[in-house]
Amino acid sequence: MALILGFLLLLGLGGNTISEEPLSSKRTTSDVLEFKLREVKYETEDSYKLGPIGILFQVVHVFLHVVQPNAFPEDILKNVLRNKFDLSADYKKIIQYELGIIICAVLGLLFIILMPLVGFCFGLCRSCNKCGGEMHQRQKRNGTCLRKYFAVSLLVICMFISVGIIYGFLANHYLRTHIEKTQKLVDSNFRDLRTLLDETPMQIDYVLDQYNTTKEKAFSDLDNVKSLLGGRIRDQLRPKVIPVLDNIKAMVEVIKETREALSNTNNALKDLKKSIAQLDTSLSDVKTDLEQALSDPLCSIPPITTTCNEISMTLNQLDNNTDVGKIPLLDNQLDNVNHVLQTDLSSLVQKGYQAFDDIPEMVQNQTTNIVLDIKSTLNSIGLDIKQKNEQISIQNKLSRFMDPINYVESYIYNKLRKLKEYDSYRWLSSLVICCFLTLVTTFYSLGILCGIFGYDPNASPTRRGCISNTGGIFLMTGVGISFLFCWLLMIIVVLTFVIGGNVEKLVCEPYQNRKLFQVLDTPYLLNENWKYYLSGIIFNKPDINLTFGQIYSDCKENKGIYATLKLENRYNISEYLNVQEYTENINSYFDNLNIKIDNIVLLDDAGRRSLMDFVSSGVDRINYDAYLAETTKAPTKVNLLLFADVLQEKANQLPPGNLRSSLIRNEQMIRRIYHDQVIPLELSMKGIYRSIQELQYKSSGLGASVSDIISSLDSAQKFIVKNISSIIIKASKKYGNTILGYFKLYLQWVKVSITEQIAACKPVATALDSAVDVFLCNYIVEPMNLFWFGIGKATIFLLPAIIFAVKLAKYYRRMDSEDVYDDVETVPMKNMQKGNVDFNSHQTAQTVPTEFLSPPDYPSSSSSASLNIEKETSPLGDDRLGDTV
């Protein structure tokens, strides 16, 4: 029934709806929409694991393959399905296919017929003291070896029988426990089918609801047209515009820094000129005072005259060493730069930045109406999708399948209750069969054990112990039970073998290797007018290649009903999802965008003129070498400290008086000039030197730099004027494609979800597998085949067990008579006295036949009397002479 239900569900869904599968989850990021259907977890496992017992099932499969190696009879099955099967014409094909099973069944029937007959004859024969019925055992030289051989052989056979019994017990237990699991299997399959029907409408609704998510994302982008479209246009211009504005801004800073450096350097030069003039005055005063001192009359007196002359000759060294006063100041250049800075270049550059940054705002202001039109179109798409969903009405169509599912489930539950009831009888019968074989094996085993442990090699056959005799009785009891019931066991084995073997070869095996589907998919098989039966039923178009095998494989792979049943032949999902009219309208909106950005001025004419004026300011044409050369000189021609030291030394050579005092006073004045004027002047000159160097560095290449900046500015301005229209068009197109891309992505996901994921029919394939592969084959046929295999094996081995048990029993049972020997006779005599002859006398009197004795022990006697004993042969193949069993 699950098989029928599965195909009904497939056909019904195909004839009524487009379906879906598990509920889904969606993940969105700020840039990309991603949709994903959540996978529904079904209860029923899609694969069945046999466990360790699977090895035994494989052994049975090997046996069946040996017995029945023929391929699946496709031709016969096709004739049956076409109602063209004629037993009188096709019986040879059936016999050829079933030859192995027929041969095994015939052998089983022979066993069933012959075993009771042989048992009956064997019983009558033994009741007439024949066939081993006479309780007499003849002594043999190899009797010990035969006894051990028979015991070991019977023990090995019992082990083989035990293996078969174990197979039977395992198969019986496996079948019992798995029949009890059938209820759970059925429940899980029907819950999965209901889950499929319940989740499908929810998934359809979920997929359609994701349009709102997509629309919200599009609305968000439309509301952010300022940053998304305007920002994209601005970003296209940025590589050309921003570097130019940054360079102009940097140049403004250079101009300001240059003006600052010029001002500082010029002020320093003015201060330097004043300091040098003061130094000149101070030195001139000292030199005049020294000249007046040297005019003292004392200088005319030798040797003072020499000292005075020496001092007079050095006075020309007290003078300024630089020509700073002659180098010009930087007033002209400073005035030129100040004139340049009268134009607020920073403000002009900032206006250029502002004009560039205002592009997104301009775009937003010019696209307000178009954005409203696009939003209205997107809302129309949502209404259209909702109307189409209402036209399909998935929920109503799927609800029709609930009643058939409930009916089939109720029907299966009723059958399961009966199955469990009948299975209890089967389980008990199988248990009795296994216990019966166990009983027979137990008798044989006990017989062997009692015989082995109770056997006394020194005891005569008529004096054997009770334990040994009990062992023989156990063996014969096992033989009797085997004859009575083994044919009944073989009947059960033959019946289950014929049924189980054929079901395995004709149903289970072709189902697993898909041969069964290949037969059903044969063109014109189920309907001679239809090439493909399923497509004829579903679409009334039998030429569509829709097969049972393809449907099963697709459902096994958890594909959606739409793709599995090829429902595009009834419902073209592309037509339902066709929003070409709306997308064309949206594209036309973006194509007709008329965004004008023509007022971007990076730097106006006033700023351009200021840059050119800075180039002609003369800062880069200053004679920096002259300034550097003068500022590196010493302020005085002589080191004033050394000059003062020499003057002090000369004054010390003079006698006290006005001359000496005057020289000492001037020496001190020179030192004071050095400390108060020369040292600060040296520091100031070093500072001016560094300022000149810095100014030279800043002004070097200014003309070329400004020229490059103006050239780049012109190039950027031309680029904006020439390319702004194409940039706006490309950016608008890309922006529009982004908006439409959300819906294309959504529609593509909807199409993939409906065709491949929604209403994934895996539960249907699983239900079919559960009905055929799991329930029929693994739960019933496999253990049934293992049962007949084990029981049949044990029953077959009862035959050699009977033979060896009968032969072994006489070595353990207490005999009514035995072979005895007279003291003078060499030929054995038959002692018919039952227990009247003393055991010891038997030990001395009983001998082996003369032909087995050496001449020295027993001399031959031609007059020895002997009793001719009738030579008997057991029907069981006893190889003794005159030996009765």
Side-chain angles (χ1 to χ4, degrees):
M1 291 305 299
L3 174 63
I4 298 174
L5 173 63
F7 281 108
L8 282 177
L9 180 60
L10 284 172
L11 299 179
L13 286 176
N16 291 279
T17 183
I18 307 172
S19 309
E20 189 179 285
E21 99 141 355
L23 241 191
S24 44
S25 64
K26 166 265 310 173
R27 178 172 60 87
T28 61
T29 65
S30 59
D31 299 323
V32 180
L33 280 173
E34 289 188 9
F35 306 97
K36 185 178 181 182
L37 283 173
R38 178 178 60 84
E39 182 181 1
V40 173
K41 299 296 183 182
Y42 294 110
E43 297 182 25
T44 310
E45 298 290 338
D46 57 353
S47 61
Y48 180 74
K49 298 180 180 179
L50 291 173
I53 200 171
I55 299 175
L56 302 181
F57 291 163
Q58 290 298 323
V59 173
V60 179
H61 290 168
V62 173
F63 176 78
L64 284 176
H65 181 71
V66 173
V67 172
Q68 174 59 289
N70 299 318
F72 181 67
E74 297 182 11
D75 295 338
I76 297 176
L77 181 58
K78 289 177 183 178
N79 290 334
V80 172
L81 294 175
R82 290 189 178 115
N83 294 323
K84 295 181 180 180
F85 178 75
D86 185 2
L87 182 61
S88 61
D90 297 334
Y91 74 93
K92 291 183 179 180
K93 294 182 179 178
I94 297 176
I95 292 176
Q96 182 180 1
Y97 175 77
E98 296 281 348
L99 184 60
I101 294 178
I102 292 174
I103 292 174
C104 292
V106 168
L107 293 176
L109 292 176
L110 290 176
F111 186 95
I112 294 169
I113 295 171
L114 293 179
M115 281 306 292
L117 182 61
V118 171
F120 179 73
C121 295
F122 181 68
L124 289 179
C125 185
R126 287 182 66 86
S127 64
C128 298
N129 289 330
K130 302 296 184 180
C131 303
E134 185 181 5
M135 300 299 291
H136 175 80
Q137 179 186 8
R138 182 172 180 175
Q139 301 297 316
K140 283 188 175 182
R141 182 178 180 182
N142 60 346
T144 301
C145 294
L146 288 174
R147 173 175 54 79
K148 293 180 180 180
Y149 166 72
F150 293 148
V152 171
S153 299
L154 182 58
L155 183 61
V156 172
I157 292 172
C158 287
M159 292 176 64
F160 282 112
I161 295 174
S162 299
V163 172
I165 296 171
I166 292 173
Y167 287 179
F169 274 117
L170 291 176
N172 191 38
H173 175 73
Y174 181 90
L175 183 56
R176 171 79 169 186
T177 54
H178 284 75
I179 287 296
E180 293 175 353
K181 293 180 180 179
T182 304
Q183 181 74 43
K184 182 179 179 181
L185 180 65
V186 172
D187 291 341
S188 65
N189 275 281
F190 277 100
R191 279 196 294 269
D192 290 344
L193 291 174
R194 288 191 177 92
T195 299
L196 172 62
L197 296 180
D198 293 339
E199 292 292 333
T200 298
M202 296 173 61
Q203 292 177 347
I204 292 288
D205 293 338
Y206 171 81
V207 170
L208 298 179
D209 288 342
Q210 297 316 297
Y211 177 81
N212 294 328
T213 303
T214 308
K215 184 179 71 173
E216 290 172 2
K217 177 61 178 172
F219 278 17
S220 175
D221 285 2
L222 290 171
D223 293 336
N224 291 325
V225 65
K226 176 180 178 180
S227 59
L228 295 178
L229 178 55
R232 184 174 288 121
I233 295 173
R234 183 182 58 187
D235 292 340
Q236 293 290 322
L237 298 174
R238 184 182 298 276
K240 283 287 187 179
V241 173
I242 294 301
V244 174
L245 292 176
D246 289 343
N247 289 336
I248 297 174
K249 183 178 179 181
M251 183 55 66
V252 172
E253 295 299 322
V254 170
I255 294 173
K256 291 179 179 180
E257 292 174 358
T258 303
R259 191 267 307 272
E260 187 69 23
L262 278 172
S263 177
N264 294 335
T265 303
N266 197 43
N267 292 332
L269 285 173
K270 289 179 180 181
D271 293 339
L272 181 62
K273 285 179 177 288
K274 291 179 181 180
S275 298
I276 290 176
Q278 291 176 359
L279 179 61
D280 285 341
T281 301
S282 298
L283 290 177
S284 178
D285 292 342
V286 170
K287 184 168 30 170
T288 301
D289 190 39
L290 285 174
E291 287 176 351
Q292 291 176 359
L294 292 176
S295 63
D296 192 294
L298 188 60
C299 289
S300 61
I301 301 172
I304 296 174
T305 301
T306 304
T307 301
C308 290
N309 291 334
E310 291 176 355
I311 293 173
S312 179
M313 292 176 62
T314 60
L315 289 179
N316 59 350
Q317 295 180 357
L318 293 174
D319 200 359
N320 175 25
N321 190 41
T322 66
D323 294 329
V324 173
K326 296 180 180 179
I327 59 177
L329 294 175
L330 304 176
D331 292 333
N332 291 334
Q333 290 84 356
L334 183 59
D335 291 340
N336 292 335
V337 173
N338 286 329
H339 176 73
V340 170
L341 291 177
Q342 286 179 357
T343 302
D344 192 355
L345 283 173
S346 297
S347 177
L348 296 178
V349 173
Q350 192 61 39
K351 287 182 180 180
Y353 278 117
Q354 189 62 44
F356 178 74
D357 292 336
D358 285 343
I359 291 176
E361 188 71 28
M362 288 187 289
V363 170
Q364 184 178 25
N365 294 334
Q366 297 179 43
T367 57
T368 302
N369 294 331
I370 292 178
V371 167
L372 293 177
D373 293 338
I374 294 174
K375 286 184 177 180
S376 177
T377 303
L378 295 179
N379 287 325
S380 301
I381 296 176
L383 293 175
D384 187 41
I385 291 176
K386 184 177 180 180
Q387 290 175 358
K388 289 178 179 178
N389 180 40
E390 292 174 353
Q391 293 174 3
I392 297 177
S393 185
I394 300 297
Q395 182 67 44
N396 294 333
K397 294 179 180 180
L398 289 179
S399 62
R400 302 174 186 175
F401 294 99
M402 282 300 179
D403 290 338
I405 288 178
N406 294 333
Y407 171 77
V408 173
E409 185 178 20
S410 177
Y411 177 83
I412 291 177
Y413 285 160
N414 292 333
K415 295 300 181 181
L416 279 179
R417 284 194 291 269
K418 294 182 180 179
L419 176 64
K420 290 181 179 179
E421 180 182 354
Y422 295 150
D423 185 66
S424 61
Y425 301 138
R426 179 212 57 78
W427 175 80
L428 183 60
S429 301
S430 300
L431 189 64
V432 169
I433 292 172
C434 293
C435 291
F436 165 74
L437 287 171
T438 304
L439 180 64
V440 173
T441 308
T442 302
F443 278 135
Y444 286 154
S445 301
L446 289 175
I448 294 172
L449 292 175
C450 292
I452 291 175
F453 292 106
Y455 183 78
D456 185 0
N458 296 321
S460 65
T462 58
R463 297 296 182 179
R464 287 176 179 151
C466 180
I467 298 177
S468 177
N469 186 56
T470 302
I473 294 173
F474 274 135
L475 292 175
M476 294 309 297
T477 303
V479 171
I481 296 175
S482 298
F483 272 120
L484 286 175
F485 296 104
C486 66
W487 62 281
L488 295 174
L489 299 181
M490 187 55 69
I491 292 176
I492 296 173
V493 170
V494 171
L495 289 176
T496 54
F497 165 71
V498 173
I499 296 173
N502 279 294
V503 172
E504 172 66 31
K505 299 295 291 186
L506 295 175
V507 178
C508 297
E509 189 174 301
Y511 178 82
Q512 292 170 355
N513 59 23
R514 307 293 182 262
K515 288 287 186 181
L516 200 56
F517 293 114
Q518 294 177 9
V519 173
L520 293 176
D521 292 332
T522 302
Y524 308 105
L525 177 65
L526 301 178
N527 188 321
E528 61 183 7
N529 297 320
W530 289 352
K531 183 176 182 180
Y532 297 105
Y533 182 74
L534 285 178
S535 59
I537 289 180
I538 298 175
F539 309 115
N540 200 23
K541 298 178 181 178
D543 293 331
I544 299 174
N545 187 4
L546 184 65
T547 62
F548 290 97
Q550 171 253 314
I551 290 176
Y552 175 80
S553 298
D554 289 350
C555 288
K556 195 72 174 174
E557 296 173 3
N558 204 27
K559 292 184 178 180
I561 290 290
Y562 187 90
T564 300
L565 294 182
K566 299 184 178 180
L567 294 180
E568 65 272 11
N569 295 283
R570 171 161 294 189
Y571 297 103
N572 190 345
I573 191 63
S574 298
E575 294 180 359
Y576 279 91
L577 299 177
N578 186 10
V579 290
Q580 185 67 28
E581 177 184 354
Y582 300 107
T583 57
E584 288 178 355
N585 290 337
I586 295 174
N587 275 325
S588 65
Y589 291 143
F590 285 109
D591 291 339
N592 295 328
L593 276 178
N594 188 17
I595 300 174
K596 293 183 179 180
I597 303 175
D598 52 5
N599 57 348
I600 300 178
V601 178
L602 302 181
L603 189 67
D604 60 10
D605 294 338
R608 189 186 300 270
R609 284 195 302 271
S610 296
L611 291 177
M612 298 302 296
D613 290 343
F614 179 68
V615 174
S616 61
S617 64
V619 175
D620 57 341
R621 295 190 296 273
I622 297 173
N623 189 1
Y624 292 103
D625 293 337
Y627 287 93
L628 293 175
E630 293 300 325
T631 54
T632 55
K633 293 180 180 179
T636 58
K637 293 181 178 180
V638 67
N639 190 327
L640 295 182
L641 289 179
L642 295 177
F643 188 88
D645 291 339
V646 172
L647 186 60
Q648 182 182 11
E649 182 181 355
K650 298 293 185 182
N652 290 335
Q653 295 175 3
L654 297 175
N658 291 332
L659 179 59
R660 179 178 181 181
S661 299
S662 179
L663 292 178
I664 291 174
R665 184 180 66 253
N666 283 288
E667 173 264 329
Q668 292 176 351
M669 179 62 70
I670 292 172
R671 291 184 187 274
R672 191 162 45 250
I673 292 173
Y674 177 78
H675 289 292
D676 294 342
Q677 296 184 37
V678 173
I679 290 178
L681 187 59
E682 288 179 346
L683 295 175
S684 177
M685 292 176 69
K686 289 181 180 179
I688 293 174
Y689 180 83
R690 289 193 295 270
S691 297
I692 294 296
Q693 279 187 324
E694 181 179 356
L695 184 60
Q696 183 183 24
Y697 175 76
K698 288 181 179 298
S699 63
S700 62
L702 278 178
S705 298
V706 173
S707 298
D708 291 342
I709 289 174
I710 293 175
S711 176
S712 299
L713 177 63
D714 294 337
S715 176
Q717 196 70 52
K718 290 179 181 179
F719 177 82
I720 293 174
V721 174
K722 182 179 180 180
N723 298 295
I724 188 66
S725 297
S726 62
I727 290 175
I728 291 173
I729 293 173
K730 290 180 181 179
S732 300
K733 191 165 193 145
K734 188 172 183 180
Y735 177 71
N737 290 337
T738 301
I739 300 295
L740 291 176
Y742 296 144
F743 295 93
K744 290 179 180 178
L745 176 64
Y746 168 74
L747 294 176
Q748 181 182 6
W749 172 71
V750 171
K751 188 173 182 180
V752 171
S753 298
I754 291 177
T755 57
E756 298 181 8
Q757 297 176 326
I758 292 178
C761 57
K762 189 174 186 178
V764 179
T766 304
L768 187 62
D769 287 342
S770 298
V772 179
D773 194 29
V774 178
F775 175 72
L776 177 61
C777 297
N778 290 324
Y779 282 9
I780 296 178
V781 176
E782 296 280 15
M784 182 174 70
N785 288 340
L786 181 62
F787 182 79
W788 63 250
F789 182 78
I791 299 303
K793 174 183 177 182
T795 304
I796 293 297
F797 275 103
L798 287 178
L799 286 176
I802 290 173
I803 297 173
F804 285 110
V806 169
K807 286 182 172 292
L808 184 61
K810 71 178 182 179
Y811 288 97
Y812 295 151
R813 296 179 67 186
R814 186 182 296 118
M815 299 289 103
D816 293 338
S817 62
E818 62 182 349
D819 291 340
V820 297
Y821 298 92
D822 203 340
D823 290 340
V824 295
E825 291 179 345
T826 59
V827 179
M829 302 291 291
K830 184 175 181 181
N831 181 12
M832 300 302 297
Q833 298 177 0
K834 300 175 68 175
N836 296 327
V837 182
D838 183 70
F839 177 77
N840 292 329
S841 64
H842 279 290
Q843 290 289 356
T844 57
Q846 181 178 345
T847 59
V848 296
T850 56
E851 61 269 27
F852 298 121
L853 299 177
S854 59
D857 293 335
Y858 291 93
S860 62
S861 172
S862 60
S863 61
S864 299
S866 64
L867 179 63
N868 293 327
I869 301 175
E870 182 179 0
K871 181 177 182 181
E872 301 180 51
T873 303
S874 171
L876 297 176
D878 197 352
D879 58 352
R880 56 182 170 73
L881 181 64
D883 187 11
T884 59
V885 180

